[in-house]
Amino acid sequence: MSEILNLLIGIVFLLLGIPIGSYLAKITKEELKPGQRWFKPIIVISLIGAVISLIARNDALLFSFLFIAIVTSRSLKIKPDKE
């Protein structure tokens, strides 16, 4: 029962990553353009870390890496204003 509760809490926080990432992308538009080249490597590294954490059965690291990947991917969806 405790394991299920931990997974549900982790999933809720992952879902919160979507609006948090969108909000951060909206308020930091000036940093999106120069930082854009780093977003894809961060997402790839986070997903690799999530897979390793899944194999190692470390839920805390798994959800942390997935949260980072979700928040960073939201910044890829928001295009910066063209100047």
Side-chain angles (χ1 to χ4, degrees):
M1 185 68 175
S2 174
E3 178 110 7
I4 294 173
L5 183 61
N6 286 341
L7 287 175
L8 288 175
I9 291 171
I11 291 169
V12 167
F13 276 98
L14 285 179
L15 291 175
L16 283 173
I18 295 170
I20 290 171
S22 296
Y23 176 71
L24 287 174
K26 189 165 65 169
I27 66 169
T28 60
K29 286 186 180 188
E30 67 278 356
E31 296 176 15
L32 283 181
K33 192 172 184 180
Q36 192 83 21
R37 65 185 175 146
W38 296 105
F39 293 155
K40 288 180 185 177
I42 290 171
I43 293 169
V44 169
I45 291 169
S46 296
L47 292 176
I48 291 170
V51 169
I52 293 170
S53 300
L54 187 63
I55 293 169
R57 302 183 139 235
N58 189 336
D59 290 340
L61 279 178
L62 171 69
F63 286 118
S64 297
F65 281 125
L66 289 176
F67 185 82
I68 291 168
I70 289 171
V71 170
T72 307
S73 69
R74 297 304 300 165
S75 295
L76 282 177
K77 301 255 185 240
I78 308 291
K79 297 295 180 195
D81 293 335
K82 296 192 181 200
E83 297 175 3

